[in-house]
């Protein structure tokens, strides 16, 4: 999240098309590293309630996406520039990174301990 935000901020100041393409490509390429660990992290740390937690995460992401689309349109209308939208994307990413670094733990949480870990498969 942090490194891709740097390229998004650099995109605010670019004036040439090839440079903009390079910064967008770097941003999207580096963002995939963050996204690839999201679903796996939930399944590793809370296997007994991974589905519920992933649903909450997706709901929060969808809700913020709806709000940010409206706010991005407002910023474009008032500033007549995409630079403010790219700055907003960077702020949201850096806020998420700061929240993760402050509150994240690598401690496994199993809520349902009564279920057996291995299920026998009958064919």
């Amino acid at each position: 999240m942090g490194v891709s935000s740097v390229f998004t901020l650099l995109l605010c100041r670019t004036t040439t098309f090839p440079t903009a393409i390079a910064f967008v490509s770097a941003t999207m390429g580096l963002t995939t590293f963050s996204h690839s660990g999201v679903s796996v992290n939930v399944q590793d740390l809370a296997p007994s309630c991974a589905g519920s937690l992933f649903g909450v995460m997706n709901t929060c992401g969808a809700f913020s996406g709806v709000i940010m689309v409206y706010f991005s349109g407002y910023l474009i209308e008032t500033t007549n520039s995409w630079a403010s939208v790219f700055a907003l994307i960077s702020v949201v990413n850096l806020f998420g990174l700061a929240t993760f670094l402050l509150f994240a733990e690598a401690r496994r949480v199993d809520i349902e301990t009564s279920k057996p870990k291995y299920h026998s498969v009958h064919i």
Side-chain angles (χ1 to χ4, degrees):
M1 279 195 226
V3 179
S4 65
S5 295
V6 170
F7 285 102
T8 306
L9 285 175
L10 291 173
L11 187 59
C12 295
R13 301 288 180 221
T14 188
T15 56
T16 64
F17 183 72
T19 307
I21 293 295
F23 289 156
V24 168
S25 298
T27 298
M28 296 307 294
L30 292 169
T31 302
T32 58
F33 290 113
S34 172
H35 291 302
S36 64
V38 169
S39 61
V40 177
N41 191 27
V42 172
Q43 293 172 0
D44 283 344
L45 297 179
S48 61
C49 57
S52 299
L53 285 176
F54 197 73
V56 169
M57 285 176 22
N58 276 339
T59 301
C60 292
F63 183 68
S64 66
V66 168
I67 291 172
M68 290 303 160
V69 167
Y70 171 77
F71 194 61
S72 297
Y74 175 77
L75 284 175
I76 292 171
E77 287 293 323
T78 57
T79 63
N80 292 326
S81 172
W82 279 89
S84 58
V85 175
F86 296 141
L88 174 67
I89 292 169
S90 295
V91 167
V92 170
N93 279 344
L94 292 174
F95 178 74
L97 177 64
T99 302
F100 178 78
L101 291 176
L102 287 174
F103 299 112
E105 292 182 355
R107 184 175 45 101
R108 187 178 177 128
V109 178
D110 281 327
I111 294 175
E112 297 177 16
T113 57
S114 62
K115 288 185 177 179
K117 288 185 177 181
Y118 303 103
H119 302 286
S120 59
V121 177
H122 301 285
I123 299 177

